[in-house]
Amino acid sequence: MTRTVITGISGRMGSTLVRLAKAASDLPVVGATVRPGSPFSGQDAGLVARLGAPLEVVAQDDLGRALDGAQADVVVDFTGPEATLQHARICAERGVALVVGTTGFTPEGRAQLQEYAKRVPMVAAPNMSVGVNLVIRMAAELARVLGPSFDVEVLEAHHRMKKDAPSGTALKLAEVLMEALGRTKDDLTFAREGQTGARPPGEIGVQALRGGDVVGEHTVYFFGEGERIELTHRATNRDQFAQGALRAARWVAGRAPGLYDMADVLGLQGKT
Ligand SMILES: NC(=O)C1=CN([C@@H]2O[C@H](COP(=O)(O)OP(=O)(O)OC[C@H]3O[C@@H](n4cnc5c(N)ncnc54)[C@H](OP(=O)(O)O)[C@@H]3O)[C@@H](O)[C@H]2O)C=CC1
Ligand SMILES: O=C(O)C1=N[C@H](C(=O)O)C[C@H](O)C1
Protein backbone atom coordinates (compact mmCIF):
# COMPACT_ATOMS: atom_id res chain seq x y z
CA MET A 1 0.00 0.00 0.00
CA THR A 2 1.25 3.49 -0.86
CA ARG A 3 -0.59 6.09 1.21
CA THR A 4 -1.05 9.00 -1.17
CA VAL A 5 -1.84 12.70 -0.82
CA ILE A 6 -2.90 14.54 -3.98
CA THR A 7 -2.65 18.33 -4.34
CA GLY A 8 -4.72 20.62 -6.55
CA ILE A 9 -7.61 18.16 -6.79
CA SER A 10 -10.01 20.56 -8.48
CA GLY A 11 -7.62 20.85 -11.43
CA ARG A 12 -7.51 18.83 -14.67
CA MET A 13 -4.68 16.58 -13.51
CA GLY A 14 -5.52 16.61 -9.79
CA SER A 15 -9.06 15.36 -10.40
CA THR A 16 -7.83 12.70 -12.84
CA LEU A 17 -5.30 11.51 -10.23
CA VAL A 18 -7.96 11.22 -7.53
CA ARG A 19 -10.21 9.17 -9.86
CA LEU A 20 -7.44 6.78 -10.90
CA ALA A 21 -5.93 6.43 -7.42
CA LYS A 22 -9.39 5.56 -6.08
CA ALA A 23 -9.73 2.90 -8.76
CA ALA A 24 -6.35 1.38 -7.81
CA SER A 25 -6.37 -1.09 -4.93
CA ASP A 26 -2.92 -0.13 -3.60
CA LEU A 27 -3.06 3.68 -3.52
CA PRO A 28 -5.33 4.84 -0.70
CA VAL A 29 -5.91 8.60 -0.95
CA VAL A 30 -5.25 9.76 2.59
CA GLY A 31 -5.21 13.50 1.94
CA ALA A 32 -6.07 16.08 -0.67
CA THR A 33 -5.59 19.80 -1.17
CA VAL A 34 -6.97 22.78 -3.03
CA ARG A 35 -5.45 26.25 -3.33
CA PRO A 36 -5.47 28.45 -0.21
CA GLY A 37 -8.80 30.26 0.12
CA SER A 38 -10.56 27.94 -2.35
CA PRO A 39 -14.32 27.57 -1.81
CA PHE A 40 -13.70 23.78 -2.07
CA SER A 41 -11.68 23.80 1.16
CA GLY A 42 -13.43 21.64 3.78
CA GLN A 43 -15.50 19.75 1.21
CA ASP A 44 -15.22 16.03 0.51
CA ALA A 45 -12.36 15.34 -1.93
CA GLY A 46 -14.50 12.97 -4.03
CA LEU A 47 -17.01 15.74 -4.67
CA VAL A 48 -14.31 18.35 -5.35
CA ALA A 49 -12.66 16.00 -7.88
CA ARG A 50 -16.09 15.42 -9.51
CA LEU A 51 -16.09 11.66 -8.80
CA GLY A 52 -19.83 11.71 -8.19
CA ALA A 53 -19.31 9.98 -4.83
CA PRO A 54 -17.63 10.96 -1.56
CA LEU A 55 -14.10 9.81 -0.82
CA GLU A 56 -14.35 10.48 2.90
CA VAL A 57 -11.24 12.62 2.79
CA VAL A 58 -11.60 16.34 3.46
CA ALA A 59 -9.95 18.72 0.97
CA GLN A 60 -7.62 21.04 2.90
CA ASP A 61 -6.27 24.34 1.64
CA ASP A 62 -2.86 23.65 3.13
CA LEU A 63 -0.61 20.65 2.50
CA GLY A 64 0.73 20.68 6.06
CA ARG A 65 -2.82 20.20 7.39
CA ALA A 66 -3.53 17.47 4.83
CA LEU A 67 -0.40 15.61 6.01
CA ASP A 68 -1.19 15.95 9.71
CA GLY A 69 -2.01 12.46 10.99
CA ALA A 70 -2.25 11.06 7.45
CA GLN A 71 0.89 8.91 7.68
CA ALA A 72 1.40 9.60 3.99
CA ASP A 73 4.07 7.81 1.96
CA VAL A 74 3.95 10.18 -0.99
CA VAL A 75 2.52 13.46 -2.26
CA VAL A 76 1.58 13.77 -5.95
CA ASP A 77 1.64 17.35 -7.17
CA PHE A 78 0.39 18.84 -10.44
CA THR A 79 -0.37 22.47 -9.53
CA GLY A 80 1.84 25.39 -10.57
CA PRO A 81 5.51 26.26 -10.01
CA GLU A 82 4.99 28.49 -6.96
CA ALA A 83 2.63 26.04 -5.22
CA THR A 84 4.85 23.06 -6.06
CA LEU A 85 7.89 24.72 -4.49
CA GLN A 86 5.92 25.33 -1.29
CA HIS A 87 4.73 21.71 -1.35
CA ALA A 88 8.28 20.46 -1.93
CA ARG A 89 9.50 22.46 1.08
CA ILE A 90 6.78 20.91 3.26
CA CYS A 91 7.61 17.39 2.00
CA ALA A 92 11.32 17.98 2.68
CA GLU A 93 10.55 19.19 6.21
CA ARG A 94 8.27 16.23 6.92
CA GLY A 95 10.30 13.53 5.15
CA VAL A 96 7.55 12.63 2.66
CA ALA A 97 8.37 11.48 -0.90
CA LEU A 98 7.10 13.63 -3.75
CA VAL A 99 6.07 13.23 -7.39
CA VAL A 100 6.15 16.51 -9.34
CA GLY A 101 4.38 16.81 -12.68
CA THR A 102 4.21 20.60 -12.68
CA THR A 103 6.00 22.44 -15.49
CA GLY A 104 7.08 26.03 -16.06
CA PHE A 105 9.78 26.34 -13.38
CA THR A 106 12.41 29.05 -13.63
CA PRO A 107 16.03 27.83 -13.46
CA GLU A 108 16.05 29.02 -9.81
CA GLY A 109 12.89 27.01 -9.12
CA ARG A 110 14.44 23.88 -10.59
CA ALA A 111 17.55 24.42 -8.45
CA GLN A 112 15.34 24.78 -5.38
CA LEU A 113 13.60 21.46 -6.17
CA GLN A 114 17.03 19.84 -6.44
CA GLU A 115 17.90 21.15 -2.97
CA TYR A 116 14.70 19.68 -1.46
CA ALA A 117 15.43 16.36 -3.20
CA LYS A 118 18.60 16.07 -1.11
CA ARG A 119 16.29 15.45 1.86
CA VAL A 120 13.50 13.30 0.35
CA PRO A 121 13.08 11.08 -2.72
CA MET A 122 11.45 13.01 -5.56
CA VAL A 123 10.41 12.11 -9.11
CA ALA A 124 10.06 15.21 -11.28
CA ALA A 125 9.23 14.95 -14.97
CA PRO A 126 7.48 17.30 -17.40
CA ASN A 127 5.66 14.37 -18.93
CA MET A 128 4.68 11.17 -17.13
CA SER A 129 3.40 9.34 -20.20
CA VAL A 130 5.32 6.18 -21.02
CA GLY A 131 5.02 6.95 -24.75
CA VAL A 132 6.49 10.43 -24.47
CA ASN A 133 9.42 9.17 -22.45
CA LEU A 134 10.20 6.68 -25.20
CA VAL A 135 9.85 9.43 -27.83
CA ILE A 136 12.37 11.53 -25.88
CA ARG A 137 14.91 8.70 -26.10
CA MET A 138 14.16 8.02 -29.74
CA ALA A 139 14.59 11.72 -30.58
CA ALA A 140 18.05 11.74 -28.99
CA GLU A 141 19.03 8.59 -30.86
CA LEU A 142 17.79 9.93 -34.20
CA ALA A 143 19.70 13.18 -33.65
CA ARG A 144 22.92 11.28 -32.89
CA VAL A 145 22.62 9.05 -35.95
CA LEU A 146 21.39 11.68 -38.42
CA GLY A 147 23.95 14.22 -37.24
CA PRO A 148 24.29 17.90 -38.06
CA SER A 149 23.15 17.78 -41.69
CA PHE A 150 19.51 17.49 -40.56
CA ASP A 151 17.69 20.59 -39.29
CA VAL A 152 15.85 19.90 -36.04
CA GLU A 153 12.61 21.58 -34.95
CA VAL A 154 10.29 20.83 -32.01
CA LEU A 155 6.59 21.73 -32.30
CA GLU A 156 4.09 21.39 -29.47
CA ALA A 157 0.33 22.03 -29.25
CA HIS A 158 -1.78 22.33 -26.08
CA HIS A 159 -5.21 23.48 -24.91
CA ARG A 160 -6.03 27.15 -24.57
CA MET A 161 -5.83 27.08 -20.73
CA LYS A 162 -2.17 26.04 -20.52
CA LYS A 163 -0.19 28.63 -18.60
CA ASP A 164 3.42 27.96 -19.65
CA ALA A 165 5.11 27.92 -23.06
CA PRO A 166 6.87 26.15 -24.55
CA SER A 167 5.68 23.03 -22.75
CA GLY A 168 7.97 21.33 -20.25
CA THR A 169 8.09 18.35 -22.60
CA ALA A 170 9.20 20.49 -25.55
CA LEU A 171 11.96 21.97 -23.38
CA LYS A 172 13.04 18.47 -22.31
CA LEU A 173 13.11 17.39 -25.97
CA ALA A 174 15.19 20.47 -26.83
CA GLU A 175 17.57 19.63 -23.96
CA VAL A 176 18.19 16.03 -25.08
CA LEU A 177 18.53 17.14 -28.72
CA MET A 178 21.06 19.78 -27.64
CA GLU A 179 23.07 17.17 -25.76
CA ALA A 180 22.91 14.66 -28.61
CA LEU A 181 24.06 17.25 -31.14
CA GLY A 182 26.62 19.00 -28.93
CA ARG A 183 24.66 22.27 -29.02
CA THR A 184 24.04 24.86 -26.29
CA LYS A 185 21.11 27.00 -25.19
CA ASP A 186 22.38 29.69 -27.57
CA ASP A 187 21.33 27.44 -30.45
CA LEU A 188 17.67 27.41 -29.36
CA THR A 189 15.21 29.62 -31.30
CA PHE A 190 11.74 30.08 -29.83
CA ALA A 191 10.13 32.30 -32.47
CA ARG A 192 10.80 33.64 -35.94
CA GLU A 193 9.53 36.84 -37.49
CA GLY A 194 10.65 39.29 -40.15
CA GLN A 195 13.95 39.19 -42.06
CA THR A 196 15.43 36.22 -40.22
CA GLY A 197 17.89 35.30 -42.96
CA ALA A 198 18.84 31.73 -43.75
CA ARG A 199 18.51 29.18 -40.97
CA PRO A 200 21.82 29.11 -39.07
CA PRO A 201 23.48 25.67 -39.01
CA GLY A 202 22.93 23.93 -35.70
CA GLU A 203 19.86 25.92 -34.76
CA ILE A 204 17.14 24.00 -32.82
CA GLY A 205 13.70 25.58 -33.23
CA VAL A 206 11.05 25.22 -30.52
CA GLN A 207 7.53 26.45 -31.32
CA ALA A 208 4.25 26.40 -29.35
CA LEU A 209 0.62 26.33 -30.54
CA ARG A 210 -2.31 26.96 -28.17
CA GLY A 211 -5.99 26.30 -28.72
CA GLY A 212 -9.19 24.47 -27.88
CA ASP A 213 -8.98 21.30 -25.84
CA VAL A 214 -5.76 19.79 -27.22
CA VAL A 215 -4.47 17.51 -24.45
CA GLY A 216 -0.83 17.59 -25.57
CA GLU A 217 1.01 16.96 -28.83
CA HIS A 218 4.73 16.99 -29.56
CA THR A 219 6.54 16.52 -32.86
CA VAL A 220 10.27 16.51 -33.49
CA TYR A 221 11.09 17.23 -37.13
CA PHE A 222 14.38 16.19 -38.72
CA PHE A 223 14.54 18.03 -42.05
CA GLY A 224 17.15 16.66 -44.45
CA GLU A 225 17.94 17.07 -48.16
CA GLY A 226 15.26 15.11 -50.02
CA GLU A 227 13.76 13.51 -46.92
CA ARG A 228 12.26 14.33 -43.56
CA ILE A 229 11.48 12.39 -40.39
CA GLU A 230 8.66 13.40 -38.04
CA LEU A 231 8.48 11.82 -34.60
CA THR A 232 5.08 12.56 -33.06
CA HIS A 233 3.33 11.82 -29.78
CA ARG A 234 -0.34 12.72 -29.33
CA ALA A 235 -2.03 12.45 -25.95
CA THR A 236 -5.78 11.96 -26.38
CA ASN A 237 -6.67 12.07 -22.69
CA ARG A 238 -4.98 12.81 -19.36
CA ASP A 239 -5.29 9.32 -17.89
CA GLN A 240 -1.93 8.16 -19.19
CA PHE A 241 -0.15 11.15 -17.56
CA ALA A 242 -1.90 10.31 -14.29
CA GLN A 243 -1.18 6.57 -14.56
CA GLY A 244 2.50 7.43 -15.10
CA ALA A 245 2.46 9.68 -12.03
CA LEU A 246 0.84 6.96 -9.91
CA ARG A 247 3.44 4.49 -11.15
CA ALA A 248 6.08 7.01 -10.05
CA ALA A 249 4.34 7.35 -6.66
CA ARG A 250 4.53 3.59 -6.04
CA TRP A 251 8.17 3.56 -7.19
CA VAL A 252 9.47 6.56 -5.23
CA ALA A 253 7.94 5.84 -1.81
CA GLY A 254 10.66 4.46 0.45
CA ARG A 255 13.60 5.24 -1.93
CA ALA A 256 16.76 7.04 -0.90
CA PRO A 257 16.59 10.85 -1.16
CA GLY A 258 17.43 12.20 -4.61
CA LEU A 259 15.96 13.68 -7.75
CA TYR A 260 14.71 10.98 -10.11
CA ASP A 261 12.95 11.20 -13.46
CA MET A 262 10.58 8.97 -15.41
CA ALA A 263 13.48 7.18 -17.10
CA ASP A 264 14.41 5.91 -13.60
CA VAL A 265 10.83 4.88 -12.87
CA LEU A 266 10.48 3.09 -16.21
CA GLY A 267 13.89 1.44 -15.95
CA LEU A 268 15.16 3.05 -19.18
CA GLN A 269 18.91 2.62 -18.89
CA GLY A 270 21.76 4.45 -20.56
CA LYS A 271 22.07 7.89 -22.09
CA THR A 272 19.13 9.72 -23.65
N1 LIG B 1 4.10 15.91 -16.10
C1 LIG B 1 2.99 15.63 -16.80
O1 LIG B 1 2.81 14.50 -17.31
C2 LIG B 1 1.95 16.68 -16.96
C3 LIG B 1 2.16 17.91 -16.43
N2 LIG B 1 1.16 18.85 -16.42
C4 LIG B 1 1.43 20.07 -15.68
O2 LIG B 1 0.70 20.01 -14.46
C5 LIG B 1 0.35 21.32 -14.03
C6 LIG B 1 -1.16 21.38 -13.78
O3 LIG B 1 -1.85 21.19 -14.99
P1 LIG B 1 -3.44 21.16 -15.04
O4 LIG B 1 -3.97 20.13 -14.13
O5 LIG B 1 -3.81 21.14 -16.47
O6 LIG B 1 -3.78 22.62 -14.44
P2 LIG B 1 -5.08 23.11 -13.66
O7 LIG B 1 -5.02 24.60 -13.66
O8 LIG B 1 -6.28 22.44 -14.20
O9 LIG B 1 -4.84 22.55 -12.18
C7 LIG B 1 -3.97 23.11 -11.25
C8 LIG B 1 -4.69 23.06 -9.93
O10 LIG B 1 -3.79 23.43 -8.88
C9 LIG B 1 -4.53 24.22 -7.97
N3 LIG B 1 -3.63 24.98 -7.13
C10 LIG B 1 -2.98 26.13 -7.38
N4 LIG B 1 -2.25 26.49 -6.31
C11 LIG B 1 -2.45 25.54 -5.35
C12 LIG B 1 -1.99 25.36 -4.02
N5 LIG B 1 -1.15 26.23 -3.43
N6 LIG B 1 -2.41 24.28 -3.35
C13 LIG B 1 -3.25 23.38 -3.89
N7 LIG B 1 -3.74 23.52 -5.16
C14 LIG B 1 -3.33 24.57 -5.87
C15 LIG B 1 -5.44 25.06 -8.85
O11 LIG B 1 -6.51 25.59 -8.10
P3 LIG B 1 -7.42 26.81 -8.69
O12 LIG B 1 -8.04 26.28 -9.96
O13 LIG B 1 -8.42 27.01 -7.61
O14 LIG B 1 -6.50 27.94 -8.93
C16 LIG B 1 -5.88 24.03 -9.87
O15 LIG B 1 -7.02 23.34 -9.43
C17 LIG B 1 0.85 22.26 -15.13
O16 LIG B 1 2.12 22.76 -14.76
C18 LIG B 1 0.99 21.35 -16.34
O17 LIG B 1 1.91 21.81 -17.28
C19 LIG B 1 -0.05 18.59 -16.98
C20 LIG B 1 -0.30 17.40 -17.57
C21 LIG B 1 0.68 16.34 -17.62
O1 LIG C 1 -0.28 21.52 -19.34
C1 LIG C 1 -0.55 20.43 -19.89
O2 LIG C 1 -1.69 20.10 -20.20
C2 LIG C 1 0.57 19.52 -20.17
N1 LIG C 1 1.77 19.85 -19.75
C3 LIG C 1 2.94 19.08 -19.84
C4 LIG C 1 4.07 19.88 -20.48
O3 LIG C 1 4.15 21.11 -20.26
O4 LIG C 1 4.89 19.28 -21.17
C5 LIG C 1 2.75 17.71 -20.39
C6 LIG C 1 1.56 17.49 -21.27
O5 LIG C 1 1.89 17.70 -22.60
C7 LIG C 1 0.31 18.24 -20.85
Side-chain angles (χ1 to χ4, degrees):
M1 289 288 168
T2 305
R3 294 172 65 84
T4 305
V5 170
I6 300 172
T7 57
I9 62 160
S10 62
R12 281 174 289 270
M13 282 304 298
S15 57
T16 307
L17 285 158
V18 171
R19 174 170 54 79
L20 294 178
K22 183 173 186 282
S25 55
D26 61 337
L27 293 168
V29 178
V30 296
T33 77
V34 290
R35 90 177 136 69
S38 164
F40 294 124
S41 179
Q43 294 192 21
D44 183 274
L47 303 180
V48 178
R50 304 176 290 281
L51 295 188
L55 198 62
E56 285 166 22
V57 169
V58 174
Q60 305 286 352
D61 70 357
D62 175 79
L63 178 60
R65 259 197 304 282
L67 287 171
D68 283 342
Q71 293 175 296
D73 297 307
V74 65
V75 170
V76 181
D77 185 287
F78 286 67
T79 53
E82 208 179 306
T84 298
L85 288 173
Q86 286 168 13
H87 295 155
R89 176 182 51 75
I90 293 168
C91 286
E93 286 166 2
R94 303 231 185 173
V96 180
L98 177 62
V99 174
V100 174
T102 303
T103 59
F105 293 101
T106 60
E108 295 74 25
R110 266 193 298 277
Q112 191 64 64
L113 272 187
Q114 254 166 352
E115 279 303 306
Y116 293 133
K118 289 181 179 160
R119 294 157 68 182
V120 285
M122 186 186 300
V123 175
N127 201 307
M128 305 272 177
S129 126
V130 175
V132 158
N133 282 280
L134 290 170
V135 163
I136 289 169
R137 296 181 82 77
M138 288 160 74
E141 181 64 8
L142 276 168
R144 269 192 293 275
V145 175
L146 294 171
S149 65
F150 280 70
D151 297 326
V152 183
E153 297 275 323
V154 179
L155 177 67
E156 57 100 332
H158 283 84
H159 53 97
R160 63 166 74 92
M161 302 305 289
K162 184 162 174 62
K163 290 184 178 143
D164 54 316
S167 69
T169 311
L171 292 173
K172 176 72 182 176
L173 282 163
E175 184 188 309
V176 302
L177 290 163
M178 251 163 34
E179 280 166 17
L181 292 164
R183 307 286 173 217
T184 68
K185 286 197 167 129
D186 292 341
D187 295 309
L188 299 181
T189 293
F190 293 102
R192 296 187 181 91
E193 189 187 25
Q195 294 293 311
T196 57
R199 190 183 197 281
E203 185 174 71
I204 298 175
V206 184
Q207 317 294 335
L209 307 180
R210 290 290 174 269
D213 61 356
V214 179
V215 175
E217 302 187 359
H218 294 88
T219 298
V220 183
Y221 294 87
F222 296 90
F223 296 101
E225 294 291 333
E227 62 179 335
R228 143 170 135 209
I229 298 172
E230 299 178 8
L231 191 57
T232 295
H233 180 273
R234 290 196 177 89
T236 51
N237 65 43
R238 292 182 173 80
D239 285 19
Q240 34 76 41
F241 301 134
Q243 293 291 16
L246 297 178
R247 185 165 168 175
R250 291 182 183 98
W251 182 91
V252 78
R255 296 247 157 208
L259 187 58
Y260 304 97
D261 66 17
M262 278 308 279
D264 298 308
V265 175
L266 300 174
L268 302 174
Q269 305 301 325
K271 61 183 176 183
T272 45

